[in-house]
Amino acid sequence: MLRLIQINKFVHLLKLLCNKLPFNQFIKKHWQEGEEGFEHPVVSSDEKVAIRGLLLPLLDDPHRKICTAIGMAVASIAHYDWPEDWSDLLPSLMKCITDQTNMNAVHGALRCFSLVSADLDDNMVPKLVPVLFPCLHTIVSSPQIYEKPLRMKALSIVYACTSMLGAMSGVYKTETSAMMSPMIQSWINQFSSILGHPVQSEDPDDWSIRMEVIKCLNQFLQNFPSLMESQFGVFMGPLWQTFVSSLGVYTRSSIEGIEDPYDGRYDSDGAEQSLESFIIQLFEFLLTILGSPKFVKVVGNNVKELVYYTIAFMQTTEQQVNAWSVDANQYVADEDDNTYSCRASGALLLEEVISSCGTQGIHAIIDSAKTRFRESQQEKASGASGWWRMREATLFALASVSEQLLEAEAPEITKVSLGDTLEQILSEDMSTGVNEYPFLYARIFSSIAKFSSMVSQGLIEHFLYAAIKALGMDMPPPVKVGACRALSQLLPDTNKEILRPHFLDIFSSLTDLLKHASDETMHLVLETLQEAVKAGPDLVVSIEPVLSPIILNMWASNVADPFVSIDALEVLEAIKNAPGCIHPVVSRVLPYIGPILNNPQQQPEGLVAASLDLVTMLLKSAPTDIVKAVYEVSFDPVVRIVLQSDDHSEMQNATQCLAALISVGKEELLAWGGDTAFAMRSLLDVASRLLDPDLESSGALFVGSYILQLILHLPSQMAQHIRDLVAALLRRMQSCKLSGLRSSLLVIFARLVHMSAPHVEQFIEMLVSIPAEGHPNSFVYLMVEWTKLQGEIQGAYQIKVTTTALALLLSTKHTELGKLNVQGYLIQSTAGITTRSKAKTAPDQWTMMPLPAKILALLADALIEIQEQVLVGGDEDSDWEEVQEADVETDEALILSSSAIPRGRPSHDYLDAMAKAFDEDQDDSDDDDLLSGADPLNEINLVNYLVDFLKKFSHSEGAIFSHLSQSLTKSQHDAIQMVLKQ
């Protein structure tokens, strides 16, 4: 009766307050004034007290859905009120948890704890864990009293709290270790007890509780490696028992489909209970072990067995076979995306085996592959219908680590052994029935492509011809998919004379496949077709009249799908670049896109933007007559699109199109329309709209590259507009919210600095004379923003231009530089975890430093970044336990240890390596190459430039240089001193 009264009171109060709004939404909208999404009226203090008082007694409701709803309500309110305004929450929940006579109350309290754990901070956790963990241990260790779902929920809270302790350990390492030390042994014993029994078939509760145990172990191992070192031997045996015994269950349930794998099933709290999710979690924990130099040594003696079992887990499941057989798109998608699956997790584990165990890991993979291959031979000989699964899994395992196997510095005998193994597997399966075992044959095709450098030319040619043949025959879809993969990877390196008699068959088969392809398969066929066009360019001209219209039609039909339309565009570009094809392609495209650009409002969504991309593609590497033809059809309508359209995609692509036109047409472009002044005015109007501070940033995203082309290729026409341009750039920058756009505008300022050389001080004075809202002048605003954003600038060209421009500014020694203080270094917080409330009351704080010192620091940062690129894959040790155990100063933790930088005089070879690493690390797109390639600054060797500048500056301005160097961190100082010794 009392419960009924409580429920009635609660329901009545909700009706009065919520006005039919779901309670959780009501809390978000009306509970806390000032929060995001808040709407008036706010719940009064008395009403809050009443609601909180009514909620807690209802946590033991026997109906799970009601209990869950109450728990969610408690958690939502706790987010705002706990602990300050709801001090009795924890005592009430602890009372419920320890009440063994009321399992409903235990469930409700555990549900609440799991929901509020996301809001625990470093003040609450140290007080909570010593009290809560013993209670949770009692629940987990008492299967005779508590059912598995309750024990799982208790483990999930242990996981959440341990994760928070791990976050705290960066600041409170001693305290958190001291807190956990007395409890580690008992928890590890309990974990081992749960893992030590063989995994049960068709028992999702058994899988789920093991999964929670493994998640907790993972946190313990990552966050408290020193404490876990003595416990490793305790749980490793039971963990191995779980790993090995789960394979049998997984084989019967998922691979063979004899038992229920409970795929897609969830418990009452929404947690997945499938067998596969448990296996994936198991792989993740093994990844953690292998990733630790401390623990991988223990596993090293058994790495071969680990790989052996892992390959078995990578077999195709019955569900995958059924799904892939009827849906080739799903097969391609799962192969390309490395989706959440045992196969993908197993592949990651094998990669880590090689990374962590080196040659020993490579031998383990090769030996295990040989063993699994022999077993599949035996199964095949015995007439087992599923013999092909292990063969396919073996090839999949090897292919998943192909790059590491091919690049590894392993002994030659090891590589010979791998090549012999592959040759044997692939040769034996040459006569395998394609229709009977389509997934095996598809894997053979993709494997031969990945390991082409390790098998005989004869074998490659056999499967190359088989792939060509498969495309034109009635084969299962997976086989055609494998054939496309083989061709797309083998064609670039295959002798063209061998292929010459087959090219027409390849093009015919691929274009026929396009008619029936969709989604993912269309992407694969287009990718293969692109490689075929590149491999036989001299033959393309004969089929261009047939091929181009098909691709153009496919492009037009799929403009709503950016992936397919981009693929089609790349095929068209490959055709255009083939000898003798550019003129017919352009003559085919221009009449099609001209009406689209002239009547943009009447076109389907996306077609105008896609057409602008197509125009830009035509301009790449085009001769003058083609550029002029494109100009005549597109210039006026593209300008109108920028000036009139409100579609951001259209504006972006139109901006890029005009930038490309200027880049290739240069000054001659102005006269092509017959009215030079009108053409120039049109270009300036475009700049004016894109730099309008009231225009949304997204629409003006590529204004930076457009302005860059104006000042590079029309310098005499732009000279009279530089002051107005600078003022407009600054206004645009002040109104801009997109960091990418702000960075691109900085590149323009940097380029203007270079253009003003050797009179850079005049550019500074011009900036000082231009007002900037909220700042003394434009120079102040620009340098404050520039020094903040320099580290976010991406692209080799952009980094070269901005970094060298900063050096030019510093070299002027202009008095305005010395007047200005800018943001220096982040002041590291010692307050532990940053919660939502802390972030509001204590935002990041920075030091302030003189602008010249900041510029020198940024130049040093550029050197540090390049030095790091040189040493990637070297002696860097970023393992989590080593970071925890090392007492490193803040600035040193941000860069390589001092041992990573050459102690003596750096050699020319080392500086050359730095320059090469910088160029390789910056992956500029084709569009960037088109727009920046004509700029002589693109040829700058940034490393040599910085070395020369720093040497000259330190020599000619020794006192200033010494003074500025005092503001550098140790890492920055070391980086500069290294190059000065050269």
Side-chain angles (χ1 to χ4, degrees):
M1 187 65 182
L2 178 60
R3 167 168 295 279
L4 185 59
I5 293 172
Q6 290 172 332
I7 292 175
N8 286 336
K9 284 184 178 179
F10 182 60
V11 171
H12 178 68
L13 184 58
L14 291 188
K15 285 182 178 179
L16 290 175
L17 289 172
C18 296
N19 192 25
K20 299 183 179 179
L21 193 67
F23 188 49
N24 275 346
Q25 290 187 31
F26 168 78
I27 294 171
K28 291 178 181 178
K29 287 179 178 291
H30 301 290
W31 198 266
Q32 189 71 39
E33 196 167 3
E35 288 290 320
E36 184 178 354
F38 171 78
E39 296 178 8
H40 284 286
V42 65
V43 181
S44 69
S45 298
D46 291 342
E47 290 165 341
K48 289 180 179 180
V49 171
I51 291 174
R52 291 195 298 260
L54 290 170
L55 278 173
L56 290 178
L58 300 177
L59 276 174
D60 65 347
D61 194 281
H63 298 91
R64 284 288 185 260
K65 289 186 178 180
I66 294 177
C67 181
T68 297
I70 297 297
M72 292 175 66
V74 170
S76 296
I77 295 174
H79 175 78
Y80 300 109
D81 293 1
W82 181 55
E84 291 84 0
D85 298 326
W86 202 356
S87 57
D88 62 334
L89 174 60
L90 281 185
S92 300
L93 294 178
M94 291 298 299
K95 182 180 178 181
C96 291
I97 282 181
T98 55
D99 186 358
Q100 294 187 1
T101 65
N102 189 347
M103 289 298 133
N104 290 327
V106 176
H107 178 274
L110 288 174
R111 178 65 175 156
C112 261
F113 265 123
S114 67
L115 290 169
V116 301
S117 59
D119 283 326
L120 294 173
D121 66 11
D122 48 16
N123 288 322
M124 298 179 229
V125 171
K127 301 171 185 175
L128 179 62
V129 166
V131 180
L132 178 61
F133 270 34
C135 299
L136 297 176
H137 188 275
T138 299
I139 294 173
V140 174
S141 62
S142 305
Q144 71 280 7
I145 301 175
Y146 301 96
E147 296 178 348
K148 282 180 181 174
L150 287 178
R151 296 166 67 209
M152 288 187 305
K153 188 58 64 180
L155 286 167
S156 72
I157 298 169
V158 173
Y159 168 80
C161 291
T162 310
S163 300
M164 185 58 63
L165 287 173
M168 291 172 54
S169 63
V171 178
Y172 302 117
K173 179 185 175 183
T174 304
E175 292 83 351
T176 55
S177 295
M179 184 189 308
M180 289 298 296
S181 182
M183 297 184 281
I184 286 281
Q185 177 84 53
S186 61
W187 277 112
I188 296 302
N189 290 339
Q190 187 55 46
F191 294 159
S192 301
S193 175
I194 294 172
L195 296 177
H197 303 288
V199 175
Q200 301 299 304
S201 298
E202 297 188 289
D203 186 354
D205 284 343
D206 177 65
W207 312 333
S208 297
I209 195 168
R210 290 174 193 263
M211 184 161 66
E212 293 298 335
V213 165
I214 290 166
K215 288 167 63 178
C216 290
L217 273 173
N218 208 344
Q219 284 299 313
F220 279 31
L221 205 65
Q222 290 186 53
N223 299 327
F224 307 104
S226 298
L227 296 178
M228 289 292 288
E229 196 167 4
S230 61
Q231 302 296 323
F232 198 80
V234 177
F235 70 79
M236 200 58 208
L239 177 69
W240 188 253
Q241 165 76 352
T242 288
F243 182 62
V244 173
S245 63
S246 64
L247 176 58
V249 177
Y250 184 72
T251 299
R252 294 188 299 275
S253 299
S254 297
I255 296 172
E256 297 175 351
I258 299 171
E259 299 174 355
D260 191 348
Y262 287 82
D263 287 332
R265 300 199 184 184
Y266 301 85
D267 63 17
S268 59
D269 291 331
E272 189 174 359
Q273 287 193 302
S274 72
L275 178 61
E276 185 158 48
S277 62
F278 159 57
I279 303 297
I280 290 171
Q281 190 64 54
L282 190 53
F283 274 130
E284 287 185 9
F285 183 46
L286 291 169
L287 270 172
T288 299
I289 294 174
L290 287 174
S292 162
K294 182 177 293 183
F295 298 118
V296 72
K297 297 173 185 175
V298 182
V299 182
N301 295 331
N302 300 301
V303 69
K304 183 176 178 181
E305 289 81 2
L306 176 64
V307 172
Y308 173 80
Y309 284 105
T310 298
I311 292 175
F313 277 111
M314 297 169 75
Q315 295 176 85
T316 54
T317 66
E318 186 65 15
Q319 183 187 44
Q320 287 170 332
V321 168
N322 293 334
W324 294 344
S325 296
V326 298
D327 188 354
N329 285 314
Q330 189 64 49
Y331 178 61
V332 175
D334 289 348
E335 289 282 294
D336 286 345
D337 298 341
N338 288 325
T339 49
Y340 184 78
S341 66
C342 282
R343 284 165 73 87
S345 297
L348 291 174
L349 189 69
L350 295 183
E351 289 178 16
E352 190 61 48
V353 164
I354 296 178
S355 297
S356 300
C357 303
T359 302
Q360 182 188 7
I362 292 174
H363 286 156
I365 290 174
I366 296 174
D367 291 345
S368 297
K370 290 179 179 178
T371 304
R372 287 302 189 186
F373 172 59
R374 287 194 298 269
E375 291 173 357
S376 71
Q377 286 178 310
Q378 295 166 4
E379 287 186 9
K380 184 179 181 181
S382 68
S385 61
W387 68 269
W388 65 271
R389 292 181 190 267
M390 192 64 77
R391 187 81 58 91
E392 191 273 346
T394 302
L395 284 173
F396 178 72
L398 290 171
S400 67
V401 291
S402 59
E403 289 187 14
Q404 290 172 288
L405 291 174
L406 293 171
E407 295 172 2
E409 296 180 2
E412 187 62 28
I413 189 172
T414 301
K415 294 194 174 184
V416 170
S417 175
L418 174 60
D420 290 345
T421 302
L422 288 164
E423 191 93 17
Q424 183 182 5
I425 296 174
L426 296 169
S427 298
E428 179 167 314
D429 290 327
M430 284 169 60
S431 57
T432 299
V434 177
N435 288 287
E436 194 174 358
Y437 306 108
F439 296 105
L440 175 58
Y441 221 84
R443 183 62 54 206
I444 293 171
F445 275 140
S446 58
S447 299
I448 196 78
K450 286 181 177 291
F451 290 106
S452 59
S453 64
M454 303 196 74
V455 296
S456 66
Q457 187 62 33
L459 195 63
I460 293 173
E461 290 180 12
H462 170 84
F463 281 107
L464 188 66
Y465 296 144
I468 296 171
K469 186 178 178 181
L471 289 181
M473 296 179 65
D474 183 17
M475 294 281 184
V479 177
K480 289 183 181 286
V481 167
C484 283
R485 292 192 191 284
L487 287 174
S488 66
Q489 296 180 59
L490 291 175
L491 284 174
D493 300 318
T494 301
N495 186 314
K496 304 306 181 286
E497 292 306 312
I498 295 176
L499 287 174
R500 183 174 290 277
H502 304 283
F503 265 121
L504 291 180
D505 289 336
I506 294 173
F507 288 129
S508 176
S509 298
L510 289 173
T511 51
D512 187 59
L513 281 178
L514 276 180
K515 299 173 185 176
H516 309 288
S518 61
D519 300 335
E520 302 294 338
T521 52
M522 188 179 295
H523 165 77
L524 179 61
V525 174
L526 286 170
E527 180 184 340
T528 309
L529 189 55
Q530 181 184 352
E531 294 302 330
V533 170
K534 291 180 178 178
D538 54 329
L539 298 175
V540 175
V541 68
S542 63
I543 61 168
E544 187 279 332
V546 176
L547 189 56
S548 290
I550 293 174
I551 303 302
L552 188 59
N553 183 62
M554 174 155 289
W555 167 83
S557 302
N558 292 275
V559 290
D561 185 335
F563 296 105
V564 173
S565 62
I566 290 172
D567 289 335
L569 196 64
E570 290 176 347
V571 176
L572 277 175
E573 183 173 9
I575 297 171
K576 182 207 75 172
N577 292 339
C581 289
I582 187 168
H583 287 86
V585 168
V586 171
S587 65
R588 217 176 293 282
V589 170
L590 288 183
Y592 180 81
I593 62 174
I596 296 173
L597 299 180
N598 277 296
N599 300 281
Q601 296 85 359
Q602 300 174 17
Q603 307 306 323
E605 183 177 358
L607 184 56
V608 174
S611 298
L612 291 162
D613 267 343
L614 185 51
V615 174
T616 304
M617 181 274 289
L618 296 177
L619 293 168
K620 294 178 182 178
S621 306
T624 302
D625 62 322
I626 293 293
V627 177
K628 189 172 182 180
V630 172
Y631 171 91
E632 290 171 353
V633 171
S634 65
F635 181 75
D636 289 342
V638 172
V639 168
R640 284 197 299 272
I641 288 170
V642 177
L643 297 180
Q644 299 173 10
S645 177
D646 293 322
D647 184 294
H648 291 175
S649 295
E650 292 179 8
M651 293 184 67
Q652 290 172 9
N653 291 5
T655 305
Q656 288 183 303
C657 183
L658 286 173
L661 265 172
I662 300 168
S663 177
V664 294
K666 301 182 173 56
E667 194 169 356
E668 292 82 1
L669 170 147
L670 297 177
W672 286 345
D675 189 337
T676 302
F678 176 79
M680 190 65 209
R681 174 46 55 194
S682 296
L683 295 175
L684 292 174
D685 287 344
V686 167
S688 179
R689 184 174 192 215
L690 295 174
L691 293 176
D692 183 349
D694 295 328
L695 178 68
E696 283 193 48
S697 298
S698 178
L701 187 60
F702 298 113
V703 65
S705 59
Y706 175 72
I707 300 294
L708 181 63
Q709 302 316 303
L710 290 178
I711 61 177
L712 283 177
H713 300 296
L714 306 175
S716 59
Q717 290 84 356
M718 290 298 297
Q720 58 185 307
H721 303 289
I722 290 298
R723 183 180 178 88
D724 292 336
L725 174 64
V726 167
L729 287 166
L730 289 163
R731 288 194 298 270
R732 173 76 269 193
M733 194 168 172
Q734 283 190 302
S735 69
C736 173
K737 304 299 181 186
L738 295 178
S739 60
L741 176 53
R742 291 162 65 83
S743 296
S744 71
L745 297 179
L746 281 178
V747 174
I748 302 304
F749 283 111
R751 194 60 188 83
L752 291 173
V753 169
H754 279 279
M755 294 178 75
S756 67
H759 305 295
V760 178
E761 64 280 356
Q762 294 179 7
F763 184 70
I764 295 175
E765 288 162 7
M766 182 185 71
L767 287 171
V768 172
S769 69
I770 298 174
E773 184 177 351
H775 295 81
N777 56 60
S778 290
F779 179 73
V780 172
Y781 169 73
L782 176 61
M783 297 316 300
V784 166
E785 294 301 312
W786 191 340
T787 51
K788 283 182 188 176
L789 294 173
Q790 179 63 30
E792 299 178 16
I793 292 174
Q794 298 179 353
Y797 171 77
Q798 291 82 350
I799 293 173
K800 286 178 183 179
V801 174
T802 53
T803 304
T804 52
L806 286 172
L808 286 175
L809 289 170
L810 181 59
S811 67
T812 65
K813 306 184 296 297
H814 198 288
T815 56
E816 292 293 329
L817 274 70
K819 296 178 182 178
L820 181 57
N821 286 329
V822 296
Q823 181 175 287
Y825 305 108
L826 178 65
I827 299 174
Q828 297 292 332
S829 170
T830 58
I833 300 163
T834 303
T835 59
R836 183 193 303 257
S837 58
K838 284 184 181 178
K840 287 183 178 180
T841 58
D844 287 343
Q845 294 184 337
W846 300 77
T847 64
M848 299 299 291
M849 62 192 301
L851 175 59
K854 178 65 176 182
I855 292 177
L856 185 61
L858 289 171
L859 300 182
D861 287 342
L863 287 173
I864 291 171
E865 185 174 350
I866 300 170
Q867 289 164 1
E868 288 175 338
Q869 292 162 17
V870 173
L871 297 169
V872 164
D875 296 327
E876 293 176 89
D877 189 0
S878 58
D879 295 289
W880 35 262
E881 77 280 358
E882 299 300 331
V883 171
Q884 285 184 329
E885 292 170 3
D887 184 17
V888 186
E889 293 181 7
T890 299
D891 63 316
E892 292 176 324
L894 298 175
I895 60 146
L896 304 174
S897 64
S898 58
S899 62
I901 299 175
R903 292 274 182 195
R905 182 187 298 273
S907 66
H908 285 289
D909 289 342
Y910 183 76
L911 295 179
D912 288 342
M914 287 176 63
K916 182 180 179 182
F918 172 77
D919 289 335
E920 290 179 349
D921 187 68
Q922 305 302 323
D923 183 19
D924 286 351
S925 67
D926 290 340
D927 289 340
D928 287 337
D929 291 340
L930 173 68
L931 299 179
S932 62
D935 190 347
L937 295 185
N938 205 32
E939 302 304 316
I940 287 177
N941 181 313
L942 184 58
V943 173
N944 290 345
Y945 185 100
L946 290 174
V947 170
D948 291 343
F949 172 80
L950 290 169
K951 282 184 174 182
K952 292 176 182 176
F953 189 72
S954 62
H955 179 73
S956 62
E957 307 294 340
I960 296 176
F961 181 80
S962 177
H963 175 70
L964 297 181
S965 296
Q966 295 175 14
S967 299
L968 301 177
T969 64
K970 182 179 184 300
S971 58
Q972 292 168 340
H973 184 271
D974 289 346
I976 290 179
Q977 288 303 311
M978 186 203 77
V979 299
L980 291 182
K981 292 177 183 178
Q982 198 272 330

